[in-house]
Amino acid sequence: MRAAWTCRHRLLPGLLALACLATVAVAAAVPLTSPPARAADPVVVLDATFEDGTTQGFRPRAGETVAVSTAVAHGGTRSLLVSGRTASWQGPALDLLDEMVKGTRYTLTVWVRLAAGQSPDQVRLSVQRDSGGTSAYDQVVGDTAVTADAWARLTGTYVLAHDVDGLSAYVETAGGTADLHIDDFTMAYQPTKPVQTDIPALREVLAADFPIGAAIGNRQIIGDQATLLRRHFDTVTPGNALKWDATQPTEGAFRWADADTQVGFATDNGLAVRGHTLVWHQQTPAWVFTDTDGTPLTSDPADKALLLSRLEAHIRAVVGRYGDAIGVWDVANEVIDENQSDGLRRSRWYEISGLDYLRTAFRVAREVAPTARLYINDYNTNVPAKRDKLRDLVTRLRAEGVPVDGVGHQMHVNVQWPSIAETEAMLQAFVPLGVEQQVTEMDVSIYVDNSESFPTPPADRLLTQAHRYRDLFALYRRYADELTSVTLWGLADDDTWLDTFPVARKDAPLLFDTELQAKSAYWGIVDPTRIDPTPTPTVSPTVSPTVSPTASPTATPTTGLDTCRATYTVTNQWPGGFQASVRITNTGGRAHDGWTVRWRFPDGQRISQLWNGTVRQDGADVSVTPTSWNSALPAGGAVEFGFLATWKTSNNRPVGFTLDGLTCTTG
C-alpha cells in the first residue's frame, strides 16, 4: 500500500539505517532498521508521494509556487503543483546532499504532467551541483514530451562523482513556463555486482593490434568503474574536462580541477591520454567570439587577430599544463560540412578567420608539445562526401606544412549502419596521405531510427550489436598497421550520451551493461564463438562496392517470380535535417540491370545529396538510378545507397517503394 511520506535512508559503512517512520492504513510502527537488501533488490532512498499533504522537501528554485494539489495524481489523490513559473529553468527542486553517496549509481524517477489547459512542452530532469560558490548542471533525463492529458515517466541514472557542498535534483522545461504537476519521485540504488575478473582483459586480447581506450568523466575513475577501466583499457579520453568551456569559461580564468583529476588518474594507473579537444564549434564560451564590450567579432583584420591570439593563449595554457602526460591531441573537431562546396563548416571560427584558425591551432600545439601526435577529428567519415572533403582538407593543410599527424574517425554508428565496405573505404581513403588514423569515439546504438524506444534492450538487438562489434573489430584488426588506437565513447551502458541524444531513451551502445558486466558485444570482440553464429562477415581484402550482390539464405528462389524488398533506415537526425539509407533486395528470380528505385516522401522532405546512385526528385516523388559499378542487381542480390535530406514539421517514413515498377515489400 502507498505510504504518505518521503522516506530517507542513509547509507553507512556496512549498515543501511532508515530515518523515517511510515503511516499506513493500520497503525503500525516501521522498525528503525531493516534487514539488508538482497543483492537483486533495489534500495529505495527517497520516495515522495505527497499523500501526507506536504511538499516533502521539494522547494521552488526561484519565485515560482510549489504546493500540494488534489487536481490530478499519478497515484493516490495528491500531487505537487508548480505554478507561477517565469523561466524555463524554474521548477520543483529537492536537496540530495545528505542522501546521495559519492560513487554510487542511483536511479531517479519522477512522473510529470502539465496542468490543465497548458500547451504541450518538453520536460527534463537534472541535478545541480554546488561547490565553492560555483554551480554545475548534469542532465539525468533529456527533453521528454509532456502534455496535460497524461502522465509521463522520467527515469535515468546518476552517479555523484565530485565533492560538493550543495546538491539538488529538479524538473525544468526546455523552453516554456507551463504550470506542471509532479508525483511519485523516487531515488534508489541497485547493489552492485563485482567486476568480472574471470574473463579476458580487452587490452590483452588486442595487445598485438592497437591500444583500446574509453572516454571518461569523474564517475569512471572511482569505485567499480575505475576497477573496470583499469582492467580492460590502455588509454582514456576525458570526454568534457579538456574542452574550452570546462577549462576557460571566462577569459583568463582557468579551471583545472576535473582535467587534473582525470589526467592524474590516468598517469597514476599507467593509462595513456588522448586530449579532446582544442578547437570546436560547440562548447566554446561566447566571450571567445566577442569584443571586450560584447560586440560580436567580424572578419575585420583586428578582430581576426584578437580571435587568433585568444586561440594561441588557450592552447599554450592547456597543452602546456599537461606536457608529456598527454601524447595525442584532437586539435580540431568537426570542421567539415560536406554540403559546402569547399567542404568547410561555417563556424564562427571560420567566419572570422577562414582557415587560419586551423593553421594557428596546429602550429601552436606543435610548438608547445613537439612530441605529441596532432589529430583532426570528425564524424560520419564513412559517408563518401564527408570523407572526401576531409581528405581534401588534410591534403591541403599538410601541403602547406601544417602539422596534421592523424585523422580521427568518430564512428558513432548503429546496429544496421554503416556497412563494413563503407567503413573499409573510409580507412583506405586516408592511407595514401601517410597519416595515422584512429577510431576516436566509437559506440553502436541499438536503435535504427528516432521513433524507437525500448524499456530494456531486446535480445535480438544485443545479438545484432555483438555481430556488428565483431565485424568492425575484425576490420580494424586487419588495418592494424594504419590504426594506432580505437576508443569507445564511454565505459559502460550506465553512462552514455546516447541516453539523451538524439532523443531521450535508454540506449545500450557499449561493451559492458549498466551493472558493468560483459555483454555479447564484448564477446563479439574477444571470442566471437561465444555469440550465436551468423553468415560470414562481409569483410573483404580490398574495398568492394557497398552493394555487393551477396545472396542471403532466404533469397534463392527457384521460380520465376519477380519480387523485391525495401529497407529504409534513418541513421541520424537533427533539427531540419537527417541522414538515411535505402536497401533494395531482389527477392525474385530474374536479374535487374540498370535498375530504377522509386518512392514518395509524405512530409515534403528534400534530398540534398545522395551517394552510390543518381537521384532525381520532383516534389514528393523520388527516383534513384545506379552508378556505373552497381547497375547489375542479380537474383538474390541487394543494392544500398544513402543520402542527406531536409525536413520541416515532421519526418515520417516514405511510402510506395518500387524496383523497375515492381511494388516492394518493406521491412
Side-chain angles (χ1 to χ4, degrees):
M1 188 170 189
R2 289 168 53 86
W5 79 105
T6 298
C7 185
R8 299 177 179 270
H9 299 225
R10 179 69 56 81
L11 185 67
L12 301 175
L15 176 66
L16 183 64
L18 279 72
C20 65
L21 293 177
T23 303
V24 293
V26 294
V30 176
L32 289 175
T33 59
S34 62
R38 291 177 293 123
D41 290 343
V43 177
V44 177
V45 180
L46 295 174
D47 179 17
T49 68
F50 312 112
E51 293 301 293
D52 65 353
T54 74
T55 65
Q56 297 183 328
F58 278 89
R59 56 172 174 77
R61 301 190 75 210
E64 69 275 31
T65 299
V66 173
V68 175
S69 168
T70 57
V72 292
H74 174 255
T77 61
R78 291 179 172 88
S79 65
L80 193 70
L81 172 65
V82 185
S83 58
R85 301 172 64 240
T86 59
S88 61
W89 55 268
Q90 295 177 0
L94 180 66
D95 293 332
L96 303 178
L97 184 62
D98 293 336
E99 314 301 337
M100 190 169 281
V101 176
K102 183 178 176 182
T104 298
R105 181 168 60 91
Y106 295 91
T107 298
L108 304 181
T109 300
V110 65
W111 291 83
V112 184
R113 178 174 178 162
L114 299 185
Q118 302 292 311
S119 299
D121 206 340
Q122 298 283 322
V123 178
R124 53 184 175 240
L125 175 63
S126 303
V127 167
Q128 176 177 332
R129 292 181 283 109
D130 303 314
S131 180
T134 300
S135 296
Y137 307 92
D138 301 321
Q139 194 171 102
V140 179
V141 182
D143 291 347
T144 304
V146 178
T147 71
D149 300 321
W151 289 92
R153 181 174 181 257
L154 277 61
T155 186
T157 61
Y158 184 76
V159 175
L160 177 62
H162 301 76
D163 293 324
V164 296
D165 47 43
L167 187 70
S168 60
Y170 61 95
V171 174
E172 61 182 340
T173 50
T177 57
D179 294 350
L180 57 87
H181 295 266
I182 70 167
D183 201 0
D184 293 339
F185 173 90
T186 60
M187 184 174 85
Y189 70 89
Q190 187 81 31
T192 58
K193 296 179 181 178
V195 171
Q196 295 157 293
T197 58
D198 58 347
I199 60 174
L202 194 61
R203 57 184 173 80
E204 295 175 357
V205 172
L206 298 170
D209 302 300
F210 39 70
I212 184 72
I216 63 167
N218 280 9
R219 65 183 290 182
Q220 279 75 40
I221 60 175
I222 56 178
D224 289 342
Q225 296 214 357
T227 301
L228 185 70
L229 181 65
R230 284 189 295 259
R231 176 168 176 76
H232 288 284
F233 294 92
D234 301 294
T235 75
V236 296
T237 301
N240 286 291
L242 288 166
K243 291 174 181 174
W244 199 312
D245 62 346
T247 53
Q248 193 183 185
T250 57
E251 188 164 15
F254 287 88
R255 297 192 309 201
W256 304 111
D258 286 351
D260 283 355
T261 298
Q262 293 169 33
V263 175
F265 173 89
T267 301
D268 292 344
N269 289 278
L271 302 172
V273 181
R274 296 190 79 261
H276 179 80
T277 178
L278 299 175
V279 179
W280 191 23
H281 64 279
Q282 296 187 41
Q283 291 187 245
T284 303
W287 68 263
V288 177
F289 305 115
T290 60
D291 206 340
T292 52
D293 61 0
T295 303
L297 299 181
T298 69
S299 58
D300 174 86
D303 284 356
K304 175 179 176 179
L306 175 60
L307 178 66
L308 295 180
S309 69
R310 287 172 171 170
L311 175 60
E312 178 167 353
H314 180 78
I315 292 175
R316 290 191 182 279
V318 176
V319 178
R321 182 175 184 85
Y322 297 106
D324 294 339
I326 298 181
V328 178
W329 281 98
D330 286 332
V331 175
N333 194 50
E334 299 177 3
V335 304
I336 297 296
D337 179 355
E338 64 272 32
N339 295 311
Q340 300 292 337
S341 60
D342 59 4
L344 298 173
R345 183 184 294 277
R346 282 357 187 214
S347 65
R348 293 291 288 137
W349 291 107
Y350 183 84
E351 290 172 347
I352 298 168
S353 69
L355 275 181
D356 283 346
Y357 80 97
L358 293 177
R359 298 181 179 108
T360 298
F362 279 94
R363 171 184 60 81
V364 175
R366 174 67 86 228
E367 291 175 4
V368 181
T371 62
R373 309 304 288 168
L374 308 181
Y375 272 69
I376 188 167
N377 187 53
D378 221 315
Y379 65 94
N380 283 3
T381 51
N382 50 279
V383 175
K386 189 156 197 174
R387 174 197 72 204
D388 294 345
K389 293 293 175 61
L390 178 59
R391 182 183 59 200
D392 293 345
L393 175 61
V394 173
T395 300
R396 175 179 177 180
L397 292 175
R398 285 172 62 86
E400 294 177 3
V402 178
V404 181
D405 298 317
V407 171
H409 307 288
Q410 293 187 9
M411 288 298 290
H412 295 295
V413 301
N414 67 41
V415 293
Q416 290 186 356
W417 174 89
S419 69
I420 300 302
E422 287 173 323
T423 308
E424 186 171 14
M426 172 192 80
L427 297 174
Q428 282 211 342
F430 293 92
V431 172
L433 275 59
V435 295
E436 295 178 2
Q437 298 186 67
Q438 294 185 352
V439 173
T440 57
E441 304 182 19
M442 184 180 180
D443 42 33
V444 180
S445 173
I446 63 173
Y447 297 106
V448 298
D449 63 54
N450 289 347
S451 67
E452 294 184 322
S453 182
F454 305 126
T456 58
D460 62 332
R461 289 294 176 94
L462 294 178
L463 181 58
T464 303
Q465 181 188 64
H467 296 147
R468 178 51 58 106
Y469 268 110
R470 176 199 65 187
D471 296 351
L472 285 170
F473 267 78
L475 174 66
Y476 297 160
R477 295 171 87 167
R478 289 180 45 246
Y479 279 80
D481 289 342
E482 305 296 334
L483 284 171
T484 58
S485 80
V486 174
T487 295
L488 301 172
W489 203 243
L491 180 64
D493 289 343
D494 68 319
D495 185 17
T496 168
W497 73 299
L498 292 175
D499 284 350
T500 58
F501 180 89
V503 296
R505 59 191 175 185
K506 183 68 191 120
D507 210 327
L510 298 165
L511 305 182
F512 300 93
D513 65 18
T514 58
E515 295 183 297
L516 311 187
Q517 304 299 292
K519 296 164 53 183
S520 296
Y522 160 88
W523 291 110
I525 299 171
V526 171
D527 182 3
T529 65
R530 295 282 297 268
I531 59 176
D532 291 346
T534 60
T536 302
T538 56
V539 181
S540 58
T542 58
V543 174
S544 59
T546 60
V547 287
S548 55
T550 54
S552 64
T554 59
T556 54
T558 58
T559 70
L561 294 176
D562 207 359
T563 57
C564 56
R565 182 175 66 251
T567 303
Y568 176 81
T569 304
V570 174
T571 55
N572 196 10
Q573 181 170 304
W574 54 94
F578 69 102
Q579 178 180 327
S581 66
V582 175
R583 181 178 178 87
I584 302 295
T585 302
N586 180 4
T587 55
R590 74 172 181 90
H592 291 254
D593 197 7
W595 48 266
T596 299
V597 173
R598 290 187 170 89
W599 70 82
R600 183 176 180 83
F601 277 126
D603 300 314
Q605 299 99 322
R606 296 290 303 181
I607 293 178
S608 58
Q609 183 177 355
L610 183 138
W611 49 94
N612 297 338
T614 300
V615 65
R616 293 186 62 182
Q617 184 168 358
D618 182 10
D621 296 317
V622 178
S623 65
V624 177
T625 53
T627 65
S628 60
W629 52 265
N630 67 351
S631 61
L633 181 54
V639 63
E640 184 172 345
F641 47 85
F643 60 85
L644 298 171
T646 60
W647 64 283
K648 293 183 180 178
T649 57
S650 58
N651 186 25
N652 290 306
R653 300 171 67 87
V655 295
F657 280 97
T658 65
L659 170 64
D660 292 341
L662 295 169
T663 299
C664 298
T665 60
T666 57

